[in-house]
Amino acid sequence: MAGVARSDRRRFLRQSGGFTLAFSLPLPSGLAQTPAEPAKARLPGSLDRNRRLDAWIRVQPADRSILLMVGKVELGQGILTALAQLCADELDVNIERIRIVSGDTAVVPNEGTTAGSFSMPDSGNAVRHAAAEARAALLELASTRLAVAMANLRVDDAVVIADTGARTTYWDLPAGEELRREATGKVPPKRSGHRYIGRSVPRLDLTPKILGQAMFVHELRPEGLLFGRVVRPSTYRARLLAADTAAVERMPGVVKVVRDGSFLGVVAQRESQANAAAEALARSCRWETPSALPRTEGVEAWLRSAPIARDIPTRRQPRTTPGEVIRTVEASYFRPYQMHASIGPSAAVATMGADGTLVVQTHSQSVFETATAIAAMLGLPRERVRLQHVQGAGCYGHNLADDAAADAALLAVQVPGRPVRFQYTREQEHRWEPYGSAMLIRTRAGLDAQGKVLDWDFELWSTPHTTRPANQPGNLLPAGYLGKPFVQPVPANNGAPNYAADRNAIALYDFPGQNVLTHFITEMPVRVSSHRGLGAYGNVFAIESFMDELAHATGSDPAEYRVRHLNDPRARDAIRAAADRFGWSTWKRSPGRGRGIAFARYKNIAGYCAVALEVEVDSRSGSIRVLRAVASADSGHIVSPDGVSNQIEGGLVQSLSWTLKEEVQMDETRILSEDWASYPILTFSEVPPVDVVLIDRPGQPFLGTGEASQGPTGAALANAVFDATGIRFRRLPLTPARVLQGLQERRA
């Protein structure tokens, strides 16, 4: 079976032995990929920024394998398996021959952050084209060796066979020189004859996990390991006044107590000793603690009154067609702050080597940019900080993984030569992770006599959705507490429309007039950053809830009403596929039960997804039970059906959890959600049966899948609850208390 190679430098060089004499990979070389020049033709995906073929693919005669190197990392989404499928198909080798190194900043191409459902469009396209071009280079060599025209050669599991019967193998060809060049982009990938693309193969990362092998960063136990902990204040802007570090230094097993400004940490021989030392240190601290949080129930009002840094006209499309508005409908929706709530607290292992190079093993999504930020925080040359990705437990955006790497680094440089394993407590993970931003959205639609939307207005108020490290030390949590603190840069609403707060704010429906205005607020009462889908979850919840309101207001079927406003045939197909599999047209109403449907195309450029749900609402308790869920997914040409299905299903389940339960609790001074009791998430027993309908589009571009289902799911759930109760809930989450209050107000 194909495998994920350890990104150990010595092992990597040994594996690459067939060509390492010629290649030589000193630390900086892997970082210094030749940037694209304006005059050069654009290459597919990440190949455009990392053009050397041998940066992606190498032939390894020593073990008769193919080494595939990628900058994207495995977060549990199955991306490495899909990339191995692409590579194996284009090179005509068994997938078992693919070895993968990913996310090692000293070795792999810099593909930026693994986020935003970009892995298949970026890395998938790069791997596919690089492999196709590598195969062509190998066949050219074989053609010369066998004295047979390339057209008369075929490949079977790395064996090149001529129509004369002569043969050679990839391992016998001097491929090093041939691959040590820039890609041309002139070798098209296969259009047909795929052995792996379009078929589900066993996930590369599952077997060792199922067997309990050490796969996660939390399980690393290198020789000489020490254990680190940090002490944080009770709230964001607190400053340390005093701490009894001397007493803690005398505790058993304590190797080092680190204080730098308001940054406090300990390093100990054993984990229990580190925990005890950190607890003792915390008890000795005196902090200056301001009151600056808006309280949980005050967040919506805070958003309405917060200073707006910038009004962004996300879309201005005045209506140019005639038509009389005979009815106007308005509504407002609210999404609270929500957590990533990773089941496993973030961790990292850092080692300051004798050569002055800091190596950090981390589950960060953005190893390259975080490495740069850590180097700046420590005052080290960038080439002296190397990050290696190791899988972690649950990653749904910018959680504390980067900060754990930074904390581990700050401790490791105090004990050079010894690896330091650092891990947050559950309480720290909950309190300090960057949350998904709260959002307030106001919608208004002008309808004609047939109930069709003529004018659509959409206004949103939101704090930022991205404060990733992005090469900036000020975005690393511990950097703000150092004696010489790094100031967090003022975040921007990055990119074109649909890339931050306004992601999916532009409705895909074909409204004659459509205006979208983003009120961007850079003040942040709580720490926020990329939460799966960014603004898409809140915006799609509002758009699709409002479409449901308009359908009901005009006496239309909600599924048909959506289709009526869509010109994109793939969008219509997605809605119809979900509705058909759900049995929308034959569904029978019963007391307390309702159905809902919603749709979105993620970022308006990625995967299409429609979700239909059936729910049951208990009128006595206000609790909602999701009875079943159906999702349709069109992600373009499907490489791994099982992978796409898993992504859609996982996103749907997570969105149910957000929509039913999740809201960060706070008072004026501190985050109150510090464990699973104060921040409940969906339990296994509450997960409904999920049926995923895949719409394959062979030959079409890869669209990305990972964040396609979260938005439609939240809206479909709210719509189903309205169908069951007749009450429109516009504030998330739909907790039993809120539903019960709605029911009681209606009875009154």
Side-chain angles (χ1 to χ4, degrees):
M1 191 61 215
V4 179
R6 288 182 183 276
S7 51
D8 172 83
R9 179 170 169 75
R10 182 176 299 172
R11 180 187 176 94
F12 173 79
L13 294 175
R14 188 169 62 243
Q15 287 178 331
S16 305
F19 301 106
T20 47
L21 288 178
F23 285 146
S24 179
L25 277 171
L27 190 60
S29 69
L31 304 170
Q33 300 301 320
T34 304
E37 298 176 9
K40 294 180 178 178
R42 182 168 181 79
L43 297 180
S46 302
L47 196 58
D48 193 57
R49 288 188 295 146
N50 307 276
R51 292 180 165 235
R52 281 177 53 134
L53 286 178
D54 65 342
W56 297 89
I57 291 170
R58 296 181 188 179
V59 177
Q60 302 192 129
D63 63 355
R64 295 185 170 237
S65 67
I66 299 295
L67 184 65
L68 175 62
M69 294 161 287
V70 293
K72 299 297 185 184
V73 298
E74 182 63 62
L75 306 170
Q77 79 279 40
I79 185 61
L80 296 189
T81 303
L83 296 178
Q85 290 177 255
L86 291 168
C87 188
D89 254 342
E90 294 301 336
L91 281 169
D92 280 323
V93 299
N94 289 343
I95 197 169
E96 288 81 3
R97 296 192 185 278
I98 307 295
R99 304 284 180 268
I100 303 178
V101 175
S102 70
D104 186 327
T105 60
V107 176
V108 304
N110 184 348
E111 291 192 82
T113 302
T114 304
S117 298
F118 278 116
S119 290
M120 286 303 290
D122 288 352
S123 199
N125 269 317
V127 168
R128 194 179 187 194
H129 284 80
E133 193 151 343
R135 180 183 182 275
L138 291 164
L139 285 188
E140 190 171 351
L141 289 171
S143 172
T144 301
R145 171 164 291 189
L146 300 178
V148 175
M150 284 180 62
N152 297 325
L153 298 175
R154 65 182 177 88
V155 184
D156 181 8
D157 190 22
V159 178
V160 185
I161 305 167
D163 57 0
T164 62
R167 59 182 59 200
T168 186
T169 72
Y170 286 172
W171 332 118
D172 298 323
L173 299 170
E177 288 291 336
E178 295 302 316
L179 300 184
R180 196 187 313 146
R181 62 173 175 79
E182 287 195 359
T184 65
K186 296 179 179 178
V187 180
K190 294 177 182 174
R191 291 184 176 274
S192 60
H194 299 127
R195 180 181 173 190
Y196 296 108
I197 295 175
R199 298 181 182 180
S200 297
V201 302
R203 282 263 299 269
L204 304 184
D205 56 319
L206 283 190
T207 300
K209 290 175 181 173
I210 291 169
L211 295 177
Q213 297 174 4
M215 285 287 292
F216 298 102
V217 68
H218 307 72
E219 299 171 311
L220 296 178
R221 294 293 186 275
E223 186 177 352
L225 184 64
L226 299 173
F227 295 85
R229 288 289 186 273
V230 294
V231 174
R232 295 272 192 257
S234 61
T235 193
Y236 297 101
R237 296 182 177 87
R239 287 289 172 246
L240 182 61
L241 300 177
D244 189 354
T245 57
V248 176
E249 285 173 344
R250 295 191 294 270
M251 292 180 67
V254 172
V255 176
K256 193 84 175 179
V257 176
V258 181
R259 177 177 179 181
D260 184 347
S262 294
F263 174 83
L264 272 179
V266 299
V267 180
Q269 296 285 353
R270 298 202 306 267
E271 190 165 25
S272 59
Q273 294 167 334
N275 288 335
E279 290 169 5
L281 195 57
R283 287 193 297 271
S284 77
C285 290
R286 287 193 297 112
W287 300 90
E288 181 183 70
T289 305
S291 299
L293 301 182
R295 302 177 65 91
T296 306
E297 294 300 329
V299 172
E300 183 174 346
W302 180 87
L303 277 173
R304 291 183 189 276
S305 61
I308 295 169
R310 186 182 168 203
D311 277 333
I312 303 170
T314 301
R315 183 164 193 173
R316 284 177 176 165
Q317 179 186 298
R319 178 159 60 95
T320 58
T321 56
E324 182 184 0
V325 172
I326 64 164
R327 183 177 183 184
T328 299
V329 181
E330 295 180 313
S332 294
Y333 304 87
F334 175 71
R335 168 205 171 167
Y337 291 110
Q338 292 168 320
M339 287 186 190
H340 301 83
S342 300
I343 298 295
S346 298
V349 176
T351 309
M352 190 66 196
D355 63 351
T357 299
L358 176 72
V359 177
V360 184
Q361 292 163 309
T362 170
H363 52 120
S364 165
Q365 290 176 270
S366 57
V367 287
F368 287 93
E369 294 181 352
T370 300
T372 301
I374 289 176
M377 178 183 72
L378 298 175
L380 291 173
R382 169 61 186 87
E383 63 271 17
R384 288 298 174 191
V385 177
R386 176 185 186 180
L387 262 60
Q388 296 176 318
H389 184 264
V390 182
Q391 292 187 52
C395 179
Y396 314 112
H398 178 197
N399 57 14
L400 276 179
D402 301 283
D403 303 304
D407 275 318
L410 283 166
L411 298 178
V413 296
Q414 298 293 324
V415 288
R418 300 287 299 273
V420 176
R421 177 187 181 277
F422 175 84
Q423 181 173 316
Y424 293 116
T425 64
R426 167 52 53 197
E427 179 182 332
Q428 288 174 331
E429 184 82 17
H430 265 44
R431 281 185 169 176
W432 292 96
E433 68 151 278
Y435 305 129
S437 274
M439 301 173 68
L440 175 64
I441 298 155
R442 186 165 64 201
T443 56
R444 183 173 61 185
L447 310 177
D448 67 11
Q450 288 72 46
K452 193 166 184 178
V453 176
L454 294 177
D455 300 307
W456 174 276
D457 290 291
F458 190 94
E459 273 186 281
L460 70 96
W461 289 257
S462 176
T463 50
H465 287 256
T466 303
T467 59
R468 287 188 182 279
N471 305 323
Q472 300 291 329
N475 283 326
L476 297 171
L477 177 60
Y481 292 95
L482 298 177
K484 294 182 179 178
F486 290 87
V487 177
Q488 185 176 34
V490 176
N493 194 55
N494 288 327
N498 279 323
Y499 276 85
D502 49 15
R503 178 168 286 184
N504 275 104
I506 300 174
L508 199 64
Y509 298 101
D510 295 288
F511 303 134
Q514 182 174 170
N515 292 304
V516 179
L517 180 62
T518 301
H519 302 292
F520 186 59
I521 301 164
T522 53
E523 187 176 322
M524 294 173 282
V526 300
R527 192 172 183 231
V528 296
S529 191
S530 306
H531 189 251
R532 208 171 180 189
L534 306 186
Y537 171 68
N539 290 326
V540 175
F541 166 68
I543 291 171
E544 290 298 298
S545 291
F546 196 49
M547 284 296 285
D548 206 69
E549 295 200 42
L550 297 178
H552 284 281
T554 57
S556 305
D557 176 85
E560 185 276 334
Y561 189 76
R562 287 171 170 80
V563 170
R564 185 148 56 101
H565 283 85
L566 284 166
N567 287 330
D568 185 339
R570 292 173 72 167
R572 295 198 299 264
D573 287 351
I575 293 173
R576 286 168 174 154
D580 289 346
R581 181 67 66 88
F582 181 85
W584 190 264
S585 61
T586 58
W587 184 77
K588 303 295 184 187
R589 182 172 301 281
S590 59
R593 293 194 175 186
R595 61 176 179 170
I597 194 166
F599 156 81
R601 183 183 186 187
Y602 185 54
K603 298 181 291 188
N604 288 8
I605 58 170
Y608 299 80
C609 182
V611 174
L613 299 175
E614 182 174 11
V615 305
E616 184 175 64
V617 180
D618 186 333
S619 60
R620 294 168 299 179
S621 67
S623 64
I624 299 166
R625 186 161 69 101
V626 181
L627 302 174
R628 62 190 178 103
V630 173
S632 65
D634 174 357
S635 299
H637 191 167
I638 295 176
V639 173
S640 171
D642 187 54
V644 173
S645 183
N646 289 340
Q647 287 286 281
I648 294 294
E649 183 174 345
L652 188 152
V653 172
Q654 185 176 38
S655 184
L656 290 182
S657 184
W658 293 345
T659 310
L660 288 170
K661 300 193 173 193
E662 298 190 32
E663 179 174 22
V664 174
Q665 304 293 321
M666 70 188 83
D667 62 15
E668 297 92 342
T669 61
R670 61 202 286 262
I671 300 299
L672 303 176
S673 299
E674 57 185 23
D675 53 28
W676 298 118
S678 51
Y679 192 84
I681 60 175
L682 204 68
T683 62
F684 286 112
S685 64
E686 295 170 304
V687 174
V690 181
D691 189 2
V692 180
V693 185
L694 299 181
I695 304 172
D696 195 10
R697 305 283 187 186
Q700 292 295 313
F702 308 137
L703 294 181
T705 303
E707 296 167 303
S709 59
Q710 286 87 346
T713 299
L717 177 55
N719 295 339
V721 172
F722 170 79
D723 194 48
T725 64
I727 301 170
R728 181 66 63 180
F729 292 96
R730 303 185 181 94
R731 188 194 195 287
L732 297 177
L734 309 183
T735 60
R738 289 199 177 110
V739 173
L740 195 58
Q741 181 182 354
L743 292 169
Q744 290 170 344
E745 288 174 354
R746 186 183 63 175
R747 292 184 193 120

